[in-house]
């Protein structure tokens, strides 16, 4: 014979923490009701200028005080339209570099007035081009080229000022700029040497022509731009010839 046991009812505590209140069971098939916050009995007038402070979301009027920003087509002071070009900010004058380059191409009619305003942008381009042509020939000479140009500028600066004495006004920056621009014939020679065999007489004749070209242009510019240099033209030409002869030997061998 089965024995019957009496099971007491199970009571779950509510979310408020009161164990005496039984948990309300929801009938199956009924959807949960969305939460609705209680509304105050007398909400009072809402501030129209501050709609976000009103707790009555449904009755908050649309704010008309905010307007979308209007951008005018006129240029604003300090905008990018008023900014100068990047090359001008860096101090690179492409027209001046082109005029100096064209003046070097004619060794018999060089305009010294173009080279009074010294710069290093054009010489840097010529030296990099010279190094690239040497790299195509299988020679990595970038460091040697930059070092030799620096030593050559110091050499010509010391020699010229020793010859001119106290009256010499050649500065090192101008001397470096002139040597760099007069490297243009050496750049052309470096490019043509890629097409000429280096074991013949032709390469040496070409070297003599381009060395004399660079020497003549550099000597003329140094004498014209610096005072008290006309009477020492021969010594200055010899110093320039030594400088560009070294670069020609760098190309040949």
């Amino acid at each position: 014979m089965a024995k019957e046991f009496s099971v007491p009812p199970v009571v779950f505590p509510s979310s408020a923490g009161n164990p005496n209140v039984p948990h309300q069971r929801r009938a199956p098939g009924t959807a949960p009701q969305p939460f609705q916050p209680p509304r105050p009995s007398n909400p009072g007038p809402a501030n129209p200028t501050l709609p976000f402070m009103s707790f009555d979301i449904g009755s908050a009027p649309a704010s008309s005080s905010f307007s979308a920003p209007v951008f005018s087509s006129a240029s604003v002071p300090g905008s990018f339209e008023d900014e100068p070009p990047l090359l001008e900010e860096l101090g690179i004058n492409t027209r001046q570099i082109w005029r100096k380059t064209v003046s070097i191409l004619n060794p018999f009619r060089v305009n010294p007035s173009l080279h009074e305003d010294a710069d290093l942008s054009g010489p840097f381009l010529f030296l990099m081009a010279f190094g690239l042509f040497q790299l195509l020939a299988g020679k990595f000479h970038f460091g040697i080229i930059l070092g030799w140009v620096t030593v050559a500028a110091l050499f010509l600066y010391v020699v010229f000022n020793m010859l001119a004495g106290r009256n010499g006004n050649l500065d090192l920056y101008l001397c470096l700029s002139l040597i760099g621009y007069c490297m243009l014939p050496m750049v052309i020679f470096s490019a043509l040497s890629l097409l000429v065999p280096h074991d013949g007489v032709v390469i040496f004749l070409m070297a003599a022509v381009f060395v004399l070209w660079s020497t003549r242009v550099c000597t003329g510019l140094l004498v014209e731009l610096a005072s008290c240099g006309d009477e020492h033209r021969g010594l200055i030409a010899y110093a320039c010839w030594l400088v560009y002869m070294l670069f020609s030997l760098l190309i040949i061998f």
Side-chain angles (χ1 to χ4, degrees):
M1 178 177 168
K3 187 177 181 180
E4 295 182 0
F5 296 93
S6 61
V7 179
V10 180
V11 179
F12 296 95
S14 63
S15 59
N18 190 1
N20 298 324
V21 179
H23 181 69
Q24 296 180 359
R25 297 184 179 179
R26 189 170 58 246
T30 59
Q33 297 294 330
F35 174 76
Q36 295 182 357
R39 300 189 178 215
S41 58
N42 189 10
N47 193 353
T49 60
L50 300 175
F52 57 88
M53 293 298 293
S54 176
F55 293 96
D56 195 359
I57 302 176
S59 61
S63 175
S64 61
S65 60
F66 178 76
S67 60
V70 179
F71 299 97
S72 60
S73 59
S75 60
V76 183
S79 61
F80 289 103
E81 297 178 359
D82 300 333
E83 292 291 334
L86 180 59
L87 294 178
E88 185 177 347
E89 289 185 354
L90 296 176
I92 301 175
N93 192 349
T94 54
R95 292 184 179 179
Q96 186 180 16
I97 294 174
W98 174 251
R99 291 174 183 173
K100 291 181 179 180
T101 304
V102 173
S103 68
I104 297 295
L105 291 176
N106 189 359
F108 301 100
R109 296 184 60 184
V110 181
N111 189 2
S113 60
L114 293 175
H115 296 269
E116 292 179 354
D117 187 10
D119 69 281
L120 296 182
S121 303
F124 182 77
L125 292 177
F126 293 155
L127 295 178
M128 289 297 103
F130 185 76
L132 286 176
F133 286 126
Q134 289 296 291
L135 186 62
L136 292 177
K139 305 173 185 178
F140 190 78
H141 288 160
F142 286 99
I144 298 175
I145 293 170
L146 295 177
W148 282 13
V149 167
T150 306
V151 174
L154 291 172
F155 172 68
L156 288 180
Y157 171 74
V158 172
V159 168
F160 188 89
N161 285 294
M162 287 180 63
L163 294 174
R166 297 181 179 179
N167 298 324
N169 59 352
L170 179 66
D171 57 341
L172 185 60
Y173 186 74
L174 178 61
C175 187
L176 188 59
S177 175
L178 293 180
I179 292 178
Y181 273 105
C182 294
M183 281 290 296
L184 179 60
M186 292 291 102
V187 175
I188 300 175
F189 177 44
S190 179
L192 294 178
S193 65
L194 299 174
L195 309 175
V196 178
H198 289 196
D199 54 353
V201 185
V202 180
I203 190 70
F204 290 98
L205 293 177
M206 292 176 59
V209 171
F210 285 102
V211 167
L212 291 177
W213 182 0
S214 297
T215 302
R216 178 182 175 85
V217 174
C218 188
T219 304
L221 291 175
L222 285 174
V223 171
E224 293 293 335
L225 294 179
S227 61
C228 300
D230 198 7
E231 61 271 16
H232 305 293
R233 182 183 289 268
L235 293 175
I236 296 174
Y238 177 67
C240 295
W241 179 81
L242 288 177
V243 169
Y244 294 107
M245 177 59 71
L246 288 176
F247 284 104
S248 66
L249 294 177
L250 190 66
I251 297 173
I252 296 174
F253 299 105

